[in-house]
Amino acid sequence: MKADALRGHLDALLLATLDGRQLHGYAIIEALQQRSGGALDLPTGTVYPALRRLERAGYVSSAWSTVGGRQRRTYRLTQSGMETLRSERRAWREFTSAIEGVLEGKIIPTQAPAQP
């Protein structure tokens, strides 16, 4: 899969990969590969800067731990990260529904905007 196809979705993919677990960077890359059937084979130069950005934003936290006898930085979702992931999942469902409607020639009923 081309990197351009992921533009704008990488943060959501990383947050989803960390949902309910704590992983080190390479384990995140492996999980993305497994969950995507090998379609997502992201280089470390893409994943680690994104993880640092998510940490600065307060969506993930990290800590050093020993994994397999090696010191590794492990990441987990914060409360803010969990809320952001819920929002990203909702936005993704809306987006894919709209695109599917266009590509498949379906008419999707208009929904009233959510009340604040």
Side-chain angles (χ1 to χ4, degrees), residues 1-104:
M1 183 172 290
K2 294 181 181 179
D4 285 351
L6 296 178
R7 193 164 283 135
H9 303 291
L10 178 59
D11 291 358
L13 293 170
L14 294 173
L15 293 175
T17 302
L18 288 169
D19 190 17
R21 46 196 196 159
Q22 183 172 328
L23 298 170
H24 60 84
Y26 187 70
I28 293 169
I29 292 169
E30 288 180 323
L32 283 166
Q33 286 175 326
Q34 290 173 345
R35 288 182 173 191
S36 69
L40 299 178
D41 186 15
L42 303 178
T44 57
T46 296
V47 173
Y48 286 104
L51 288 168
R52 286 192 293 275
R53 184 179 65 253
L54 290 170
E55 188 170 23
R56 284 192 306 273
Y59 300 146
V60 301
S61 62
S62 68
W64 288 101
S65 63
T66 303
V67 178
R70 296 178 58 188
Q71 283 284 12
R72 304 233 178 164
R73 181 170 294 277
T74 57
Y75 299 87
R76 67 176 181 82
L77 289 182
T78 62
Q79 185 63 39
S80 179
M82 287 184 261
E83 292 166 9
T84 300
L85 177 57
R86 276 192 295 275
S87 176
E88 289 286 340
R89 284 178 168 153
R90 187 171 36 258
W92 179 254
R93 284 190 299 273
E94 291 169 4
F95 174 76
T96 56
S97 177
I99 298 302
E100 183 177 321
V102 173
L103 293 178
E104 301 297 328

